[in-house]
Amino acid sequence: MKIFLLNSKGSFIKVVNKNLFQSAIFGFNWMIISKATQFILQFLLLMVLARLLTANEFGLMGLALSIITITQVLSTMGIGPAIVRRKTIDDEFLQSAFFLSIVLNFFFAVLIYLLASTISVFFNMSHLEEILKALTSIFIIKSFGIVATFLLQRNMSFKILAFQNVFSYLGYALIGIIFAFAGYGVWSLVFAQIAQAIIFTLIAISVQKHKKTIYINKKLLKELFYFGGGFSLAKIFNQIALQGDNLVIGRSLGSDALGVYSRAYQIMVMPTNLFGEVIDKVLFPVLSKIQDENDKLRYWFVNSQALLILILSPIVAIFTIYTEAIVMVILGADWLDAVPPLQILTLGLFFRTLYKISDSMVRAKGAVYKRANIQLVYAIFVFAGAIIGQFWGLVGVSVGVTVAITINYILMMSLSLSLISTSWSEVFRSLLKPSLFLLANIIILSVSYSWLVKFPSILSIIFAGLVQIIMGIVIFRFYPSLFMSKESEYIAIKIKSKIFKR
């Protein structure tokens, strides 16, 4: 059965096979449940650890993770996305991918272990060497589960992926809290990261079976290196961009400043991790299955962005107006220095999240080298913005990073639109109504701020959330057409029906 909807020109198109559509809705529901659970755990964990650990300890771990995260991109070589995107896969392909993942991860584990001392001296942080050496174990642990994890994504086994995310993060939280209470300081975060990697990998390899024998096929390895090379170039530039501000702050402003900035940034990206990553994990396999059908791609691309704006609008409004209250609740009174950078970073929250849809589209179309060029530009702007901004402290760095995030969104959108033969005007028309919902949220919260701010921080946020919920229920119950197109409303109804059915 096919689903038919009107396109922008008023004619009917076959959007997608009903089974694929339902799989996407099913996957979205499971992944949003997973990420929402992880979001709550992350929120609670941050509240606890911010009161047990110092800014210096968070800064040390933040810098170590920046280095590990950047290197992990090279250690996977785009193997996972190649598995998801390839139209057909067989045992030979999977065995070659497994072999490549093992070799690369062991190589980079040894490399970082040997360079740990040099890196520690460069950043003038003596304890960084020991932390980096311990974290290299993550490369070896994860190497055994890369193929299995992406096979689950290819097969759209979102329920299993949801459990994998939740239980691995639960392990992280428990280990982190136990060791932090025991007085292990920054090592509580190190042990938590290793525990999360172990649980994540064990779930993948126990659920998704595949042959793990070593097999070398030069043709398949060449294919993996071609797609993986383009993907990895883009990913490495993207990770350099995402971690570049941390590297600059750690080198120039010190671990204390990095600890404050990293907590502000972590709060800002919570909605991105909750919704942006869900959209990406669900949308990428869907778009890959219809990669040659631009009419269908345009439908998913435009309506996914419209729905994401609707979902994010209440969060952005609260983050913008109740920044200090959020910091007080999550981090405590000792972290008020995080308020100014968080206020500025929130301005880029929409672009930071929405760009993931363009990223899914570009990967599905196979334009990995064009994507790499854009991510290189993004990385350059992040470094330039952070280096220039450091002279004005964390506020200056936050401004530079926000400008870079905005530029990256514009460039990735332009590339996506060219790949599916769509104009900016069509996107603007589809996003106009959802953007009005953001404006309505900001107006309502601004008007009620003078009254709500009189309450304790936690109560003011709760009351602000209740105001938004009531407004949302009234609007979408009686006047949904004010902020949603017919296509977006249809998808929203399907998602809601699946959630309540469950």
Side-chain angles (χ1 to χ4, degrees), residues 154-174:
R154 174 188 174 86
N155 298 332
M156 303 181 78
S157 303
F158 296 114
K159 185 176 180 180
I160 297 172
L161 289 169
F163 281 111
Q164 183 189 36
N165 288 332
V166 170
F167 281 104
S168 62
Y169 194 81
L170 183 60
Y172 173 92
L174 290 175

Side-chain angles (χ1 to χ4, degrees), residues 25-53:
I25 299 300
F26 178 81
F28 179 85
N29 288 336
W30 270 109
M31 294 309 295
I32 203 68
I33 291 170
S34 160
K35 284 297 180 179
T37 304
Q38 195 171 330
F39 178 89
I40 294 170
L41 289 173
Q42 188 178 33
F43 180 87
L44 296 174
L45 181 63
L46 190 54
M47 288 180 65
V48 174
L49 293 183
R51 289 158 176 82
L52 295 174
L53 304 177

Side-chain angles (χ1 to χ4, degrees), residues 231-385:
F231 178 87
S232 294
L233 275 176
K235 193 70 175 176
I236 191 69
F237 293 146
N238 180 258
Q239 285 300 324
I240 290 173
L242 293 178
Q243 308 300 332
D245 46 355
N246 291 336
L247 299 177
V248 171
I249 293 171
R251 182 73 171 85
S252 60
L253 301 180
S255 57
D256 286 338
L258 178 56
V260 172
Y261 178 82
S262 64
R263 294 314 90 193
Y265 196 91
Q266 184 179 1
I267 294 173
M268 185 274 289
V269 298
M270 279 183 176
T272 298
N273 293 337
L274 176 59
F275 299 109
E277 291 186 9
V278 171
I279 289 288
D280 178 65
K281 285 188 176 181
V282 174
L283 204 58
F284 177 47
V286 170
L287 297 181
S288 295
K289 292 180 185 301
I290 54 174
Q291 57 188 270
D292 300 321
E293 304 172 74
N294 281 351
D295 280 342
K296 297 177 182 180
L297 291 173
R298 279 193 290 270
Y299 168 82
W300 285 101
F301 183 71
V302 171
N303 288 289
S304 295
Q305 294 203 51
L307 282 175
L308 197 52
I309 289 178
L310 288 171
I311 293 169
L312 286 175
S313 290
I315 299 172
V316 171
I318 286 184
F319 272 45
T320 302
I321 298 170
Y322 289 87
T323 315
E324 184 173 332
I326 289 172
V327 171
M328 286 288 291
V329 170
I330 299 178
L331 302 178
D334 294 337
W335 293 82
L336 288 178
D337 288 343
V339 173
L342 178 57
Q343 287 175 322
I344 296 167
L345 290 169
T346 298
L347 298 176
L349 196 155
F350 263 126
F351 300 128
R352 177 76 176 78
T353 309
L354 286 172
Y355 116 89
K356 288 190 172 286
I357 297 176
S358 295
D359 197 54
S360 296
M361 177 64 72
V362 172
R363 282 182 289 139
K365 294 291 283 185
V368 289
Y369 287 95
K370 291 181 179 179
R371 175 175 176 259
N373 292 334
I374 291 176
Q375 294 311 296
L376 173 59
V377 173
Y378 179 30
I380 291 171
F381 271 99
V382 168
F383 267 104

Side-chain angles (χ1 to χ4, degrees), residues 139-158:
F139 289 101
I140 299 171
I141 294 166
K142 284 193 170 182
S143 66
F144 294 96
I146 290 172
V147 171
T149 297
F150 282 93
L151 272 175
L152 289 170
Q153 188 176 347
R154 174 188 174 86
N155 298 332
M156 303 181 78
S157 303
F158 296 114

Side-chain angles (χ1 to χ4, degrees), residues 465-482:
L466 289 174
V467 168
Q468 289 180 309
I469 290 171
I470 293 170
M471 182 188 74
I473 291 173
V474 171
I475 289 174
F476 292 110
R477 175 66 180 84
F478 299 103
Y479 310 103
S481 59
L482 285 176

